[in-house]
Coordinates of all heavy atoms in Angstrom, one line a residue:
L372 N 0.1 -0.2 19.6 CA -0.7 0.0 18.4 C -0.1 -0.7 17.2 O -0.9 -1.0 16.3 CB -0.8 1.5 18.1 CG -1.5 2.3 19.1 CD1 -1.4 3.8 18.9 CD2 -3.0 1.9 19.2
C373 N 1.2 -0.8 17.1 CA 1.8 -1.2 15.8 C 2.2 -2.6 15.7 O 2.7 -3.2 16.6 CB 3.1 -0.3 15.6 SG 2.8 1.5 15.7
E374 N 1.9 -3.2 14.5 CA 2.3 -4.6 14.2 C 3.8 -4.6 13.8 O 4.4 -5.6 14.2 CB 1.5 -5.1 13.0 CG 0.0 -5.2 13.3 CD -0.9 -5.0 12.2 OE1 -0.9 -3.9 11.6 OE2 -1.5 -6.0 11.7
R375 N 4.3 -3.7 13.1 CA 5.8 -3.6 12.9 C 6.2 -2.2 13.2 O 5.4 -1.2 13.1 CB 6.1 -3.9 11.5 CG 5.9 -5.4 11.1 CD 6.5 -5.7 9.7 NE 5.8 -4.9 8.7 CZ 6.5 -4.3 7.7 NH1 7.8 -4.5 7.6 NH2 5.8 -3.6 6.9
V376 N 7.5 -2.0 13.6 CA 8.0 -0.7 14.0 C 9.4 -0.6 13.3 O 10.2 -1.5 13.3 CB 8.2 -0.6 15.5 CG1 8.8 0.7 15.9 CG2 6.8 -0.7 16.2
A377 N 9.6 0.6 12.8 CA 11.0 1.0 12.4 C 11.6 1.9 13.4 O 11.0 3.0 13.7 CB 11.0 1.7 11.0
I378 N 12.8 1.5 14.0 CA 13.6 2.5 14.9 C 14.3 3.5 14.0 O 15.1 3.1 13.2 CB 14.4 1.6 15.8 CG1 13.6 0.6 16.5 CG2 15.1 2.6 16.8 CD1 12.7 1.0 17.5
V379 N 14.1 4.7 14.2 CA 14.7 5.7 13.4 C 15.5 6.7 14.3 O 15.1 7.0 15.4 CB 13.7 6.5 12.5 CG1 13.1 5.6 11.4 CG2 12.7 7.2 13.4
D380 N 16.7 7.1 13.8 CA 17.5 8.1 14.6 C 18.4 8.8 13.6 O 19.0 8.1 12.7 CB 18.3 7.4 15.7 CG 19.0 8.4 16.6 OD1 18.3 9.4 16.9 OD2 20.1 8.2 17.0
K381 N 18.5 10.1 13.7 CA 19.4 10.8 12.8 C 19.2 10.6 11.3 O 20.1 10.5 10.5 CB 20.9 10.5 13.2 CG 21.2 11.0 14.6 CD 22.7 10.7 15.0 CE 23.0 11.1 16.4 NZ 24.4 10.9 16.8
G382 N 17.9 10.5 11.0 CA 17.5 10.3 9.6 C 17.6 9.0 9.0 O 17.2 8.8 7.8
A383 N 17.9 7.9 9.8 CA 18.2 6.7 9.3 C 17.3 5.6 10.0 O 17.1 5.8 11.2 CB 19.6 6.3 9.2
V384 N 17.0 4.5 9.3 CA 16.3 3.4 9.9 C 17.3 2.4 10.5 O 18.1 1.9 9.8 CB 15.4 2.6 8.9 CG1 14.9 1.3 9.6 CG2 14.3 3.5 8.5
L385 N 17.3 2.2 11.8 CA 18.4 1.4 12.5 C 18.0 0.0 12.5 O 18.8 -0.9 12.5 CB 18.7 2.0 13.9 CG 19.1 3.4 14.0 CD1 19.3 3.8 15.5 CD2 20.3 3.7 13.2
A386 N 16.6 -0.3 12.7 CA 16.1 -1.6 12.7 C 14.6 -1.6 12.4 O 14.0 -0.6 12.7 CB 16.3 -2.2 14.1
L387 N 14.1 -2.7 11.8 CA 12.7 -2.7 11.4 C 12.2 -4.2 11.6 O 12.8 -5.1 11.0 CB 12.5 -2.3 10.0 CG 11.1 -2.0 9.5 CD1 11.2 -1.2 8.2 CD2 10.3 -3.3 9.2
D388 N 11.2 -4.4 12.4 CA 10.7 -5.7 12.6 C 9.4 -5.6 13.4 O 8.9 -4.4 13.7 CB 11.7 -6.6 13.4 CG 11.5 -8.0 13.2 OD1 10.4 -8.5 12.8 OD2 12.5 -8.8 13.5
T389 N 8.8 -6.7 13.7 CA 7.7 -6.7 14.7 C 8.2 -6.2 16.0 O 9.5 -6.3 16.2 CB 7.1 -8.1 14.9 OG1 8.1 -9.0 15.4 CG2 6.5 -8.7 13.5
V390 N 7.3 -5.8 16.9 CA 7.8 -5.4 18.3 C 8.5 -6.5 19.0 O 9.6 -6.4 19.5 CB 6.6 -4.9 19.2 CG1 7.0 -4.7 20.6 CG2 6.0 -3.7 18.6
D391 N 8.0 -7.8 18.9 CA 8.6 -8.9 19.5 C 10.0 -9.2 18.9 O 11.0 -9.5 19.5 CB 7.7 -10.2 19.5 CG 6.6 -10.1 20.4 OD1 6.6 -9.2 21.4 OD2 5.6 -10.8 20.2
G392 N 10.0 -9.1 17.5 CA 11.3 -9.3 16.9 C 12.4 -8.3 17.2 O 13.5 -8.7 17.4
L393 N 12.0 -7.1 17.3 CA 13.0 -6.1 17.7 C 13.5 -6.3 19.1 O 14.7 -6.2 19.4 CB 12.3 -4.7 17.6 CG 12.1 -4.1 16.3 CD1 11.2 -2.8 16.4 CD2 13.4 -3.8 15.6
I394 N 12.6 -6.7 20.1 CA 13.0 -6.9 21.4 C 13.9 -8.1 21.5 O 14.9 -8.1 22.2 CB 11.7 -7.0 22.3 CG1 11.0 -5.7 22.5 CG2 12.1 -7.6 23.7 CD1 9.7 -5.7 23.2
K395 N 13.5 -9.1 20.8 CA 14.4 -10.4 20.8 C 15.7 -10.1 20.2 O 16.8 -10.6 20.7 CB 13.6 -11.5 20.0 CG 14.4 -12.8 20.0 CD 13.6 -13.8 19.3 CE 14.3 -15.2 19.3 NZ 13.5 -16.3 18.6
A396 N 15.8 -9.4 19.2 CA 17.1 -9.1 18.5 C 18.0 -8.0 19.1 O 19.2 -8.2 19.2 CB 16.8 -8.7 17.0
H397 N 17.4 -7.0 19.8 CA 18.1 -5.9 20.2 C 17.8 -5.5 21.7 O 18.5 -4.5 22.1 CB 17.9 -4.7 19.3 CG 18.1 -5.0 17.9 ND1 19.4 -5.1 17.3 CD2 17.2 -5.1 16.9 CE1 19.3 -5.3 16.0 NE2 18.0 -5.3 15.7
G398 N 16.8 -6.1 22.3 CA 16.4 -5.7 23.6 C 17.3 -6.0 24.8 O 17.2 -5.4 25.9
G399 N 18.1 -7.0 24.6 CA 18.9 -7.5 25.7 C 18.1 -8.4 26.7 O 17.0 -8.7 26.4

Side-chain angles (χ1 to χ4, degrees):
L372 298 170
C373 301
E374 293 151 295
R375 291 188 302 139
V376 174
I378 305 291
V379 293
D380 189 41
K381 297 179 180 178
V384 173
L385 305 183
L387 192 164
D388 204 340
T389 63
V390 172
D391 287 344
L393 288 169
I394 291 172
K395 183 176 180 180
H397 306 287

